[in-house]
Amino acid sequence: MLAENLENWAQQERQEGERLGIEKTARNLLKLGVLSDEQIAEATGLALDEVAKLREEGKR
């Protein structure tokens, strides 16, 4: 049971790390200002509304 819980925790942490990396990549692409939100969504695998949200966060 403990080993299973640790494995589940480790998997969640990996997924969170991957997610943060993808969002960082999207933010960097947004800063370049060359690609559309649609292109960034396609390149990163994020949903279009997630890219739009990151764009708005970057304006603050």
Side-chain angles (χ1 to χ4, degrees):
M1 182 75 168
L2 178 59
E4 184 179 323
N5 287 340
L6 287 173
E7 180 58 33
N8 288 338
W9 174 81
Q11 182 178 9
Q12 289 173 349
E13 290 297 310
R14 280 191 297 276
Q15 289 173 347
E16 180 65 20
E18 289 173 12
R19 177 90 181 158
L20 292 175
I22 290 169
E23 288 178 358
K24 183 176 181 178
T25 299
R27 284 187 190 95
N28 288 336
L29 291 170
L30 287 165
K31 284 180 188 176
L32 291 174
V34 178
L35 300 175
S36 69
D37 288 3
E38 291 82 5
Q39 290 169 316
I40 294 171
E42 185 176 334
T44 61
L46 292 173
L48 186 56
D49 64 328
E50 292 172 304
V51 175
K53 181 180 173 186
L54 291 174
R55 182 181 292 281
E56 286 301 313
E57 289 174 3
K59 290 181 180 178
R60 296 182 198 160

